[in-house]
């Protein structure tokens, strides 16, 4: 993603299952992935990470746009 879109004004959407998301976010943040540690992700939740000179997590697991009955 950085190689292809870095240094541009591109906005890229990535759709993922929670399992892949946990690996991806750890790589994006350059964090080791400790055993048994995961980010919780609700179905259809949004996460925004800006990848620029600094990696900035804007929000994780945002579900404000969903009715409570659809949050799982």
């Amino acid at each position: 993603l950085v190689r292809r879109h870095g240094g541009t004004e591109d906005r890229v959407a990535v759709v993922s299952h929670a399992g892949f998301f946990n690996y991806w976010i750890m790589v994006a943040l350059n964090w080791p992935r400790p055993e048994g540690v995961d980010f919780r992700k609700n179905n259809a939740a949004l996460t925004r990470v800006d990848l620029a000179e600094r990696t900035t997590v804007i929000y994780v697991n945002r579900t404000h746009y969903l009715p409570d009955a659809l949050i799982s």
Side-chain angles (χ1 to χ4, degrees):
L1 291 173
V2 172
R3 219 176 305 140
R4 185 169 186 167
H5 301 285
T8 72
E9 294 295 318
D10 292 354
R11 294 180 180 187
V12 179
V14 177
V15 178
S16 166
H17 289 280
F20 176 79
F21 173 82
N22 278 289
Y23 287 102
W24 182 87
I25 195 74
M26 297 291 183
V27 169
L29 298 175
N30 197 28
W31 288 355
R33 187 168 190 270
E35 188 65 34
V37 175
D38 289 314
F39 282 86
R40 179 180 171 152
K41 289 281 292 164
N42 293 98
N43 287 331
L46 302 175
T47 295
R48 179 179 169 187
V49 178
D50 289 353
L51 302 174
E53 289 179 28
R54 291 178 56 136
T55 299
T56 306
V57 178
I58 308 299
Y59 48 81
V60 177
N61 202 34
R62 189 179 254 185
T63 57
H64 69 285
Y65 65 96
L66 291 170
D68 288 346
L70 293 181
I71 296 175
S72 61

